[in-house]
Amino acid sequence: MTTHDEYVSVRYLVDDVQAATDFYTTHLGFTLHSSAAPAFADVIRGRLRLLLSGPASSGARATPKEASVAGGNRIHLTFDDLDAEIARLRGAGVSFLSEVVSGPGGRQILLADPAGNLIELFQPASPARSAGQP
């Protein structure tokens, strides 16, 4: 049996737990761990446990109103082939909030879940490129 301490957990406050669950499981490779929709569900991808808390959940009720908006925090999902992932998601009708941005560490693009929480899709630079070699 898996214990929760094996996971790194992040809580996102969402307007619609089922829409968020569907988004993460359909588009981003998460699997449903448990559901108490419409109040709460949690989905898992690798060691990341994403807690999706709806308005009726204890997590949302404990959050001050001024802090309950989607913000600049985001989960960071790594892919070996960012271009293929972008094409797959666009083919599924997912919209992006940015174009691909490149830097010394790699390439990234942002999208949002149905509640507006940010998700970064990231492809690390190859070791030769990140070391400044062509």
Side-chain angles (χ1 to χ4, degrees):
M1 181 169 185
T2 303
T3 61
H4 290 287
D5 61 346
E6 293 178 23
Y7 298 114
V8 175
S9 297
V10 174
R11 181 182 309 279
Y12 270 172
L13 302 180
V14 299
D15 299 329
D16 183 328
V17 170
Q18 191 59 57
T21 299
D22 293 345
F23 180 83
Y24 285 99
T25 58
T26 300
H27 299 301
L28 296 175
F30 284 79
T31 57
L32 180 65
H33 184 255
S34 69
S35 178
F40 172 85
D42 62 328
V43 293
I44 294 173
R45 183 177 189 262
R47 290 196 58 232
L48 173 59
R49 178 175 174 240
L50 188 55
L51 311 167
L52 303 170
S53 297
S57 71
S58 59
R61 287 180 288 138
T63 303
K65 186 173 177 79
E66 63 273 6
S68 66
V69 297
N73 295 323
R74 58 187 178 240
I75 60 173
H76 174 96
L77 305 176
T78 302
F79 295 91
D80 292 331
D81 187 343
L82 184 62
D83 295 324
E85 190 63 20
I86 292 168
R88 183 187 71 78
L89 290 167
R90 283 194 172 130
V94 175
S95 298
F96 290 87
L97 300 176
S98 71
E99 296 299 320
V100 174
V101 176
S102 296
R107 301 167 59 234
Q108 64 180 278
I109 191 168
L110 296 178
L111 63 146
D113 73 9
N117 293 300
L118 293 176
I119 302 155
E120 177 183 324
L121 306 183
F122 180 79
Q123 180 179 344
S126 67
R129 282 190 56 207
S130 62
Q133 300 173 6

